[in-house]
Each structure stands twice: as C-alpha cells, then as structure tokens.
Amino acid sequence: MPDTQYVLAIDQGTTSTRAIVFDHGGQIVSVGQKEHEQIFPRAGWVEHDAAEIWTNTREVVGLALTRANLTYRDIAAVGITNQRETAVVWDRTTGEPVYNAIVWQDTRTQKIADELGALGGGADRYKAKVGLPLATYFSGPKIKWILDNVDGAREKAERGDLAFGNTDAWVLWNMTGGVQGGVHVTDVTNASRTMLMNLDSLTWNEDIAADMGIPLSMLPEIRSSSEVYGKGREGGMVPGVPIAGILGDQQAATFGQACFEVGTAKNTYGTGNFMLLNTGTKPIPSKNGLLTTLCYKIGDQDAVYALEGSIAVTGSLVQWLRDNLGLISSAQEIEQLAESVEDNGGAYFVPAFSGLFAPYWRSDARGALVGLTRYVNKGHIARAALEATAFQTREVLDAMNADSGVDLTELKVDGGMVANDALMQFQADILGVPVIRPKVAETTALGAAYAAGIAVGYWSGEQDVIDNWAEDKRWEPAADEVERDRQYRLWKKAVTKTFDWVDDDVQ
C-alpha cells in the first residue's frame, strides 16, 4: 500500500454526517460535516429523512476530499460507522425509503414491546438469545411499526421488494450502486442491535422475526466488521474504492480506543453516552441492566463481545437547553455558565426524555428537575445538566463492575463533550478513577477507518491501532469520598422521581 494513500471514514451520526480522511498514523487530514434535520412529529417520536442523510453523505465525502486536495485515487479504503438502532426501510426497486428513518431515541414502539413481552417472558423474552431486553431502543420493533402503519408496506415486504437496514446498510447500499446492484449487507455489531440476531451463531433468528412479522427477505446479510463488502459505484465520489469496514458507532469508538484486551473499557460522550467493556470471545449475560452485544469481528477471526451501558440523553440535554429553552446560544457556553457557580445549588436534572436506559430500562420515566429553591439560578441548572451525564455514567460503571467482577481502574473517554474540562473533572471526581482522553478524540470515525484499512492491508492489524493511540489529557479524582457519596445518594433519589410518569392513557 503506497504511503501516499489514506483511508476515508463516513460517520453517519444522530445529528450529522461526517467524512474524515485519516493518514497512516491515525491522524486527521481533513473533515467534511453536515447536520440533518431532527423531526419530532409528536411527543416521543424522533425521525430522520433517510434521503437527506444519503444526500449529505455524498456532499461531506466531496468536502473532505476537496479540503485535503485529494481524489478517490488517493483513498485505499472506506469505512462506515453509524448511529445504530435507527431503522430505515426502503423499496429495492425505486431506492426510496417507504417512511422516515425511526431514530434509536424514538419511543413509539412501547406498545409493540409490551405485546411481545405478554407472549411470555416479559421484557426478557429474547434476552438469552439476543442479549437485549424488549425496549423501544432497538430496530426490530421499529420495522414492525413501519410494516403495520405504512400503507402497502407489508404487501411489498412479503413480495420481497422492501429492504431494512440501520443507517450503515442504507449508506452502503447506495454507495455500491443502489437500485443498480447495491450491496445489502450489515456487520455483526449493527445486527446485534436489532433484537433479531442470535448472539452465539451470528445469524438472524427466524422465530423472533416471525413474532414481529418481519420477512427474512428484508434483512441484510450479516458479515464481519472488517472485510471488503463491495466497491464504490461508478459515477460516485469513490468509484472502485473498496468499502471494507462497518462498525456501529459505539463499537467503532471502542476499536479506535484500542480496547482489545479483555477488561478494557471506553465511554463515548455524544448525543447519548455509551460505555463498552471488552469481555472477550464469549458473551457475558448481564444481571445488572447492561446489554450483551458484539464488540467487533475482524474478517474470519473469532467475534469479540462486550457489555454495554447505554444512556439515552447526555449531549442532547445541552442541545435541548440551547434549542428549546434558549438558556445558552451555543453548546460551548454551557461550561462557562456551569463554572459561574460553585456547585449545583441542590438541583438535580434527570433527563429521562426517552425513558431511562441502562441500568433501569424504564420506558415509563420522563425528565425531572428536582431540588429547586429560590436560590437556584441558570448557572446551577447548567451545572446540574452537565453533572447528569457524569452521574448516569457512574451508574453504568457500577453495573459494569458488578457484572464483570472486576473494578475498572481508569476510563478512556471520547466524543464531543470530552472537550469540556469541568465535566471531565467532575466525572473523575464522581467515579473515583482517572479519566483519560486520547490525542485523536474522533475515535468513532477512526475505528471505522482502522477496520477498513486492516481489511485491505493498509494497517497490519490491532497492533498498529495500539501503537497509534496516544494520551492527550488525564483528569485525576479530587473530590473527597464523603462529598462524592452524598451527591450520588441525592442523584439516586432524584432518579426515583422520574418513575411511573407515563400512564396507560398517555400516548
């Protein structure tokens, strides 16, 4: 592989799509980024326009290449990483989505989850097979909702005309030709988020698909996270370039953070927060509200599994303070506002906007701001919003320590919010362990780039990833234990105030 070549990663995220060019040292060469519309048709519903996402993908690839003064000839491989569980259903014959993409945060499928649980086994009906509880979070019930509610969709699906994918499969299908021979493939990490894949055999579970009324013909072929799936279409931005890596965003960040040893973990601070712990080549069932999921699979090597703690609302709480309340005019302002006060003034903000994810899995919960007095000002609310991210992370870490039987001694972090010093220091304080940020914080895109580059021989394997990883900053815990325990106790009390909010007559 000539040294002059680069790897391109497409990071199709919840709020934007990015294309990032990386060099052999894992350094960023150029970036193209474009936000897409967040569509909220009614309370609890969150959608994206999949056609807009595909348009933006082409645009950001063009931007990244142009800004680096490169062409497709300079690109050795393309990797894709994506918001997981966001379901796209499209018509194979026209290439058009039959409905907007239903986003992972969307809660409209609660009734479907309840009905499936009522068939026997409750929320854990499929957990032993797929590692996931019945929850609105995952893709399978979203597909069922589309088939049940979009005119003609079920008939088309039964004829074999409809295809499903998380956004990785949608982008790949379009990049490799769409209606002209597009490749309909996903990787094991994305498949493990549908509630339809057997954890042991890495195959689709026919019985669960039948329970949900989903024809198997809709589902993409499941492949490893690092192999050549196809090549860029003629007339596209990267014609003939191998598309050779796919990892769901959180698994990609785990890969980019070089968490290859059993017991290593990372936490990504994005729209939500996601902590993954590498558990090796055997899936570990969780007894503490975590998900058992795929971590990665390189070519024909054994699959590697993870325990995951998923938190629905962290960075999106800052976005909400900006867009819905106008408390700040940019996300960066929150740190300054939070630092204008010494503490949270007794206020605790539990952002259960989409119910509570790990470790509670309470879809009946809704957001609450508690502990208010006349003393509390907007600085305290900003601080409580940041602290909510750190408290939720502590709950997940406690669950992880309990499940794995090993206490984590440090936490590698990445994602947009790790630029916030106040948050990272509070995170170290409330966890009581060091928090470490790498030099390249874009570890999600980097992980997808590594998976693609390894598949084509641009990098030789995991050792290159380990060698490229470098520490940028470390926050040591500074809070005393009594204060840490007091704050955490009050947080736990605040969480209980969000339970049982949604009654049967609430949509």
Side-chain angles (χ1 to χ4, degrees):
M1 222 25 98
D3 285 345
T4 53
Q5 282 207 298
Y6 304 88
V7 173
L8 174 73
I10 294 167
D11 179 356
Q12 201 302 290
T14 307
T15 55
S16 70
T17 304
R18 285 182 296 186
I20 305 184
V21 176
F22 290 97
D23 65 17
H24 199 267
Q27 298 298 306
I28 292 173
V29 177
S30 67
V31 181
Q33 178 166 359
K34 193 162 186 199
E35 288 195 2
H36 53 263
E37 187 186 359
Q38 304 297 310
I39 303 164
F40 306 105
R42 57 172 85 169
W45 292 30
V46 190
E47 297 176 0
H48 293 155
D49 177 348
E52 181 192 8
I53 283 173
W54 168 232
T55 300
N56 289 359
T57 301
R58 300 201 300 277
E59 199 168 312
V60 297
V61 169
L63 272 172
L65 292 175
T66 305
R67 284 171 178 166
N69 200 22
L70 301 173
T71 73
Y72 68 90
R73 290 187 183 88
D74 300 301
I75 303 301
V78 177
I80 297 171
T81 181
N82 60 297
Q83 49 169 327
R84 302 167 303 174
E85 310 91 9
T86 294
V88 186
V89 174
W90 69 93
D91 189 317
R92 296 175 193 277
T93 58
T94 66
E96 297 294 319
V98 300
Y99 187 78
N100 278 338
I102 301 182
V103 179
W104 57 272
Q105 300 153 308
D106 189 286
T107 58
R108 78 185 67 184
T109 54
Q110 187 56 48
K111 199 167 274 185
I112 292 171
D114 292 344
E115 286 165 0
L116 289 166
L119 298 174
D124 289 345
R125 177 173 171 78
Y126 306 123
K127 198 168 182 191
K129 293 191 176 97
V130 302
L132 314 173
L134 270 166
T136 58
Y137 182 23
F138 308 108
S139 322
K142 295 177 169 64
I143 308 170
K144 175 173 167 53
W145 189 94
I146 290 172
L147 295 183
D148 288 348
N149 289 278
V150 175
D151 283 348
R154 188 164 290 287
E155 293 75 15
K156 280 185 182 172
E158 275 157 11
R159 280 204 307 272
D161 289 345
L162 296 191
F164 151 77
N166 294 340
T167 59
D168 65 304
W170 167 244
V171 168
L172 176 70
W173 186 78
N174 281 294
M175 284 189 79
T176 52
V179 291
Q180 264 107 35
V183 175
H184 189 210
V185 158
T186 192
D187 89 303
V188 291
T189 67
N190 273 287
S192 75
R193 314 301 292 192
T194 59
M195 214 189 283
L196 297 167
M197 188 190 82
N198 296 305
L199 275 179
D200 51 2
S201 60
L202 311 181
T203 55
W204 297 120
N205 185 302
E206 295 181 26
D207 295 338
I208 300 175
D211 280 358
M212 295 190 195
I214 298 169
L216 290 174
S217 61
M218 291 180 73
L219 304 179
E221 183 188 346
I222 301 171
R223 304 267 281 273
S224 82
S225 313
S226 178
E227 61 177 272
V228 177
Y229 313 107
K231 296 194 169 170
R233 66 198 167 93
E234 289 306 313
M237 301 304 291
V238 285
V241 177
I243 301 169
I246 299 175
L247 286 157
D249 52 10
Q250 304 313 320
Q251 285 89 343
T254 310
F255 204 88
Q257 285 271 38
C259 293
F260 301 125
E261 295 290 316
V262 174
T264 50
K266 68 88 209 177
N267 197 27
T268 297
Y269 296 71
T271 303
N273 261 38
F274 303 88
M275 195 187 297
L276 267 75
L277 173 77
N278 181 325
T279 62
T281 53
K282 290 207 166 50
I284 291 183
S286 173
K287 297 181 176 68
N288 294 281
L290 302 178
L291 308 175
T292 304
T293 195
L294 265 292
C295 198
Y296 58 86
K297 184 181 190 307
I298 298 177
D300 55 10
Q301 295 177 27
D302 288 345
V304 173
Y305 294 85
L307 282 169
E308 174 174 334
S310 315
I311 303 166
V313 177
T314 54
S316 55
L317 177 56
V318 177
Q319 210 173 22
W320 182 83
L321 290 176
R322 182 192 70 189
D323 299 343
N324 292 41
L325 296 194
L327 195 68
I328 49 175
S329 56
S330 73
Q332 290 71 28
E333 276 178 41
I334 194 161
E335 183 171 12
Q336 197 179 350
L337 188 54
E339 293 206 295
S340 69
V341 292
E342 285 183 13
D343 54 32
N344 61 22
Y348 290 80
F349 201 153
V350 187
F353 296 164
S354 303
L356 287 167
F357 283 15
Y360 298 100
W361 299 104
R362 295 286 297 251
S363 60
D364 60 358
R366 287 296 177 269
L369 180 55
V370 300
L372 299 183
T373 60
R374 287 283 299 273
Y375 171 70
V376 171
N377 63 33
K378 63 183 182 180
H380 297 118
I381 290 171
R383 195 174 185 98
L386 286 183
E387 290 181 355
T389 293
F391 284 127
Q392 290 180 99
T393 297
R394 164 75 188 269
E395 292 189 296
V396 166
L397 187 81
D398 287 354
M400 228 162 237
N401 288 344
D403 271 339
S404 67
V406 181
D407 285 358
L408 281 183
T409 54
E410 61 179 37
L411 186 64
K412 286 181 173 177
V413 299
D414 54 70
M417 293 177 87
V418 302
N420 188 316
D421 273 304
L423 171 60
M424 291 297 101
Q425 184 57 55
F426 186 75
Q427 185 69 87
D429 289 346
I430 212 71
L431 294 180
V433 299
V435 168
I436 302 162
R437 180 175 74 198
K439 282 220 162 98
V440 178
E442 294 294 351
T443 53
T444 302
L446 182 57
Y450 280 138
I454 287 168
V456 299
Y458 181 81
W459 286 292
S460 58
E462 294 99 315
Q463 193 56 49
D464 282 349
V465 182
I466 294 164
D467 293 345
N468 282 347
W469 189 92
E471 181 178 315
D472 175 49
K473 187 160 183 182
R474 172 183 294 253
W475 290 268
E476 296 285 349
D480 73 78
E481 206 167 328
V482 174
E483 178 60 13
R484 179 190 306 148
D485 292 348
R486 184 188 73 83
Q487 291 232 36
Y488 192 44
R489 183 188 79 236
L490 289 168
W491 164 262
K492 289 284 215 185
K493 190 193 289 191
V495 171
T496 65
K497 308 301 180 196
T498 69
F499 296 165
D500 299 314
W501 194 257
V502 179
D503 295 330
D504 289 343
D505 60 350
V506 176
Q507 280 292 318

